[in-house]
Amino acid sequence: MCVTVLALLASAVSMATGGRHCDPAGGCAQNDSNTHHATKQTNDTCAVWETPHTKHLENLQISSRHFIDAFPLDAAGTSVRTVTNGVFSLSAPTPLRGPLTLVAVSKEVLEDILDLDLSVLQSEDFVHYFSGGKPFPGSVPLAHRYGGHQFGYWAGQLGDGRAHLLGEYTNKDGERWELQLKGSGKTPYSRSGDGRAVLRSSVREFLCSEAMHYLGVPTSRAASLIVSDEPVWRDQFYDGNVTKERGAVVLRLAKSWFRIGSLEILARSGEVDLLRKLLDFILEKYFPTIQSNDPDKFLVFYSKVVNETAQLVARWMSVGFAHGVCNTDNFSLLSVTIDYGPFGFMESFDPSFVPNWSDDEGRYSMGRQANGGRFNLGKLAEALGPILRPEQLSLMEQILKDYPQIYHKRFLEFFKAKLGLLGHDEKDEDLIAFLLKLMEDTHADFTMTFRQLSELSDHQVQARTIPPEAWAIRDLAMHELFSTWVDMYVRRLQKQQNDSDDDRRRRMRSVNPRYVLRNWMAESAIKKAERNDFSEVHLLQRILRWPFQEQAAAEAVGYAAQPPAWARELKINVQPCGCRSF
């Protein structure tokens, strides 16, 4: 391995299992899943609880058996083709060529999800197991067949064009996680692509999936990022400028990789029996609270997906995240964020913000993500249609009609929390909308406006005494109606009985991050990584574990400062690999 174990361990802040981590400022902290922040503990040292971890990679038992036993398996080889009567195809990863470099690992994923002792990093086999060069015991690699609506149009068969499902691992806590390699070579679904991912996109996926977890957003996880010297040719912006990049593989995990497109392809192909079999499998495995003998079980399932999708998109909005490609093949049936492509965290508040350079019409702009979610849920309803009775179809239409209200309720809840509001007031929605309009007019920074409001005292807010370091609020204060909004906000806070200023600020800091993975930060790390300098990848990994806590290392490099001027010129695009799998 080309990266020392010491360097990787230094990049991992977590020091204990069970959700307990070392605080970068010293002491201990406990992750709070309800408020998504780290709460300081009173003890001076981190107690490390001894838990059994596997020290030998060959003891990591991964099974593909439940997938293989449940469905007819396409085993016609790796040639690109149209697949029928199958959910998975047998497909072995293609090992990366050349020396392999372990760029980064997630210590928490290795220890707390995969039950691995960090000593496995010292094994020369680590990069081979985690890049697809050596099979895990029990793993039968598979490529998943799915279809999808892309930018509103049916795209036909898509599938895992550069990803391989290794199987499922059940950890010591009884959690089941599905392991998938991304960038691991051709499959039957690669079309004209080479099945590879490049370092550039892999750094973004690795960092963002882990960052989203620490922001409290449901997401897939990333265990490792490995790069090779294998040349991969890409025309990043479709402008004829083909450049040589380096092939990379991310080992990513999710409770399930099934997506809306998994069902669409079967319904569209008329494979109704297989559609029913897949749905029964999904309900039994991932939705155990739904009774298998319930005649309306598929309606219950649909209702759950509608509710959870609305919450997920509202959560994206609350942290300023734009997915970039909200197609049905990128929307998880378990309502977690998957397939990190041309995503972006919004800087200046702008509902028309589009992170994907190729989205000319702004279909998946920041302000239209909720509409994208509704469209996808409508396509899910169509996929369920062939197995439902007429009266159930009518009920499903009503469930979908409730989506805007569910989304609106969740959005309001999240943004009330961002402003420290307690209880209910009929003017809360107006207060939030008023602020967002001021932010849009003044191009105020989304993340830092809310964060700096969290750091101002009641007295500073009322007196409009804004310190120089509150640069986002100072931008906002340029609006002629700023004082009007402040008066409304102060009156609302004064209605909150038994609520201190300290409590209000503490609540707000727990939900308003100081650091998010801005595109310019990722780009800076990528440029260094392309020169074999992975220091900023490691720095971002450490900082983004603690997004709600001010950190000296982050302040020193300007991660909470005004973005550099060159950040406005950045273009992000999906990786044009000729296949359609993120």
Side-chain angles (χ1 to χ4, degrees):
M1 283 183 291
C2 301
V3 171
T4 66
V5 174
L6 180 61
L8 287 168
L9 294 183
S11 72
V13 179
S14 303
M15 294 298 291
T17 60
R20 208 155 187 253
H21 310 287
C22 274
D23 186 323
C28 283
Q30 177 74 31
N31 275 358
D32 186 330
S33 61
N34 294 318
T35 58
H36 312 294
H37 74 289
T39 304
K40 294 278 287 186
Q41 303 295 307
T42 56
N43 54 317
D44 294 325
T45 59
C46 285
V48 178
W49 297 297
E50 294 296 332
T51 56
H53 287 119
T54 299
K55 295 185 178 181
H56 303 286
L57 289 167
E58 59 270 19
N59 292 337
L60 186 65
Q61 295 297 313
I62 297 172
S63 175
S64 309
R65 180 53 54 191
H66 50 283
F67 297 119
I68 294 173
D69 290 346
F71 307 108
L73 191 65
D74 168 56
T78 58
S79 62
V80 175
R81 61 190 179 277
T82 299
V83 176
T84 59
N85 193 37
V87 177
F88 294 101
S89 298
L90 285 174
S91 182
T94 303
L96 288 167
R97 300 194 306 273
L100 302 180
T101 300
L102 179 57
V103 175
V105 296
S106 169
K107 182 176 184 291
E108 185 189 56
V109 171
L110 292 186
E111 288 190 325
D112 298 347
I113 295 180
L114 295 178
D115 302 327
L116 289 172
D117 189 276
L118 290 182
S119 62
V120 299
L121 294 173
Q122 301 175 39
S123 168
E124 289 296 328
D125 283 338
F126 184 89
V127 291
H128 300 295
Y129 276 117
F130 277 65
S131 65
K134 190 172 184 177
F136 285 101
S139 170
V140 179
L142 304 170
H144 176 37
R145 171 194 176 208
Y146 55 83
H149 279 81
Q150 297 188 331
F151 293 90
Y153 298 96
W154 176 245
Q157 175 180 289
L158 300 168
D160 289 335
R162 53 173 169 167
H164 290 83
L165 178 65
L166 299 182
E168 180 184 77
Y169 175 72
T170 302
N171 66 20
K172 65 182 184 299
D173 297 321
E175 297 176 336
R176 296 183 298 192
W177 290 85
E178 296 172 12
L179 281 65
Q180 185 189 75
L181 295 172
K182 176 180 174 182
S184 44
K186 288 185 177 182
T187 77
Y189 309 101
S190 296
R191 294 186 282 176
S192 60
D194 55 21
R196 291 303 190 198
V198 297
L199 178 62
R200 166 174 45 85
S201 61
S202 300
V203 166
R204 286 171 53 82
E205 168 134 12
F206 179 88
L207 288 176
C208 195
S209 56
E210 289 300 283
M212 291 282 273
H213 169 71
Y214 289 104
L215 286 170
V217 181
T219 179
S220 60
R221 303 294 302 276
S224 61
L225 166 58
I226 294 168
V227 67
S228 75
D229 288 337
E230 179 176 331
V232 178
W233 298 91
R234 291 290 181 264
D235 181 359
Q236 184 179 359
F237 297 110
Y238 303 105
D239 58 3
N241 183 26
V242 178
T243 58
K244 184 173 73 172
E245 302 189 49
R246 297 164 69 189
V249 169
V250 173
L251 177 62
R252 55 187 192 174
L253 301 85
K255 295 297 182 67
S256 171
W257 291 103
F258 286 121
R259 53 207 65 210
I260 292 174
S262 304
L263 304 177
E264 283 188 290
I265 190 68
L266 301 180
R268 287 263 176 166
S269 302
E271 300 170 43
V272 178
D273 290 342
L274 187 53
L275 172 64
R276 186 183 297 274
K277 180 179 288 190
L278 176 56
L279 276 165
D280 284 337
F281 178 88
I282 289 171
L283 266 61
E284 178 183 359
K285 189 171 179 60
Y286 309 109
F287 296 84
T289 61
I290 300 178
Q291 299 299 313
S292 61
N293 59 355
D294 185 345
D296 290 325
K297 62 183 179 181
F298 298 129
L299 283 180
V300 178
F301 160 72
Y302 185 67
S303 179
K304 285 181 177 291
V305 177
V306 168
N307 273 272
E308 293 302 314
T309 298
Q311 175 146 319
L312 176 66
V313 178
R315 176 67 75 184
W316 288 351
M317 299 295 286
S318 74
V319 295
F321 175 79
H323 185 279
V325 278
C326 299
N327 299 324
T328 59
D329 55 302
N330 304 126
F331 258 50
S332 162
L333 289 174
L334 270 62
S335 304
V336 300
T337 315
I338 60 173
D339 295 347
Y340 289 89
F343 66 84
F345 283 89
M346 177 172 56
E347 300 207 16
S348 298
F349 179 71
D350 179 6
S352 64
F353 167 65
V354 178
N356 184 356
W357 180 79
S358 63
D359 184 4
D360 297 330
E361 297 180 357
R363 179 181 178 87
Y364 299 137
S365 64
M366 190 75 192
R368 298 175 70 180
Q369 292 190 113
N371 291 339
R374 189 188 187 285
F375 176 88
N376 292 347
L377 292 168
K379 295 306 174 184
L380 174 59
E382 290 180 11
L384 295 174
I387 62 172
L388 297 182
R389 301 187 303 274
E391 64 272 19
Q392 291 178 318
L393 292 173
S394 297
L395 290 171
M396 190 164 56
E397 290 178 4
Q398 184 56 53
I399 292 171
L400 182 57
K401 286 181 180 178
D402 291 338
Y403 169 83
Q405 289 73 35
I406 298 168
Y407 169 78
H408 182 266
K409 179 182 178 182
R410 297 289 185 265
F411 181 94
L412 193 60
E413 289 171 352
F414 290 140
F415 276 80
K416 285 177 63 176
K418 289 176 75 66
L419 287 175
L421 305 182
L422 300 175
H424 171 73
D425 188 293
E426 61 182 11
K427 295 183 179 179
D428 283 345
E429 186 173 349
D430 292 338
L431 182 67
I432 294 168
F434 193 179
L435 174 60
L436 294 179
K437 178 58 177 172
L438 298 187
M439 292 170 64
E440 181 180 4
D441 290 348
T442 58
H443 306 289
D445 188 89
F446 178 83
T447 298
M448 294 308 292
T449 293
F450 284 100
R451 178 66 188 200
Q452 289 169 4
L453 278 174
S454 310
E455 296 168 346
L456 294 179
S457 68
D458 285 348
H459 174 74
Q460 287 176 306
V461 173
Q462 292 184 52
R464 283 70 157 173
T465 53
I466 305 170
E469 61 269 20
W471 53 269
I473 302 298
R474 293 178 74 87
D475 288 343
L476 188 69
M478 297 296 292
H479 201 290
E480 60 183 357
L481 296 178
F482 175 69
S483 292
T484 304
W485 180 83
V486 168
D487 290 340
M488 289 177 60
Y489 183 46
V490 169
R491 287 195 299 270
R492 175 63 174 87
L493 293 177
Q494 290 172 344
K495 293 181 180 181
Q496 299 182 172
Q497 298 180 353
N498 303 317
D499 183 35
S500 71
D501 185 38
D502 286 342
D503 287 342
R504 189 252 324 161
R505 285 191 285 173
R506 183 169 57 251
R507 285 197 312 276
M508 291 177 66
R509 287 195 300 270
S510 75
V511 296
N512 290 311
R514 188 169 178 85
Y515 315 107
V516 294
L517 184 62
R518 299 171 185 260
N519 276 334
W520 69 267
M521 294 158 57
E523 185 68 11
S524 177
I526 289 166
K527 292 301 184 186
K528 291 179 181 177
E530 289 173 339
R531 302 191 300 269
N532 288 324
D533 175 0
F534 306 118
S535 59
E536 192 160 11
V537 173
H538 299 158
L539 175 63
L540 283 169
Q541 191 182 357
R542 291 197 302 271
I543 298 303
L544 295 172
R545 279 192 177 94
W546 303 90
F548 303 102
Q549 180 173 324
E550 185 171 339
Q551 301 172 54
E555 300 300 307
V557 292
Y559 286 165
Q562 289 178 286
W566 60 265
R568 291 192 294 269
E569 307 302 322
L570 273 178
K571 296 179 180 179
I572 305 298
N573 198 12
V574 294
Q575 187 177 6
C577 61
C579 61
R580 183 60 187 89
S581 172
F582 285 99

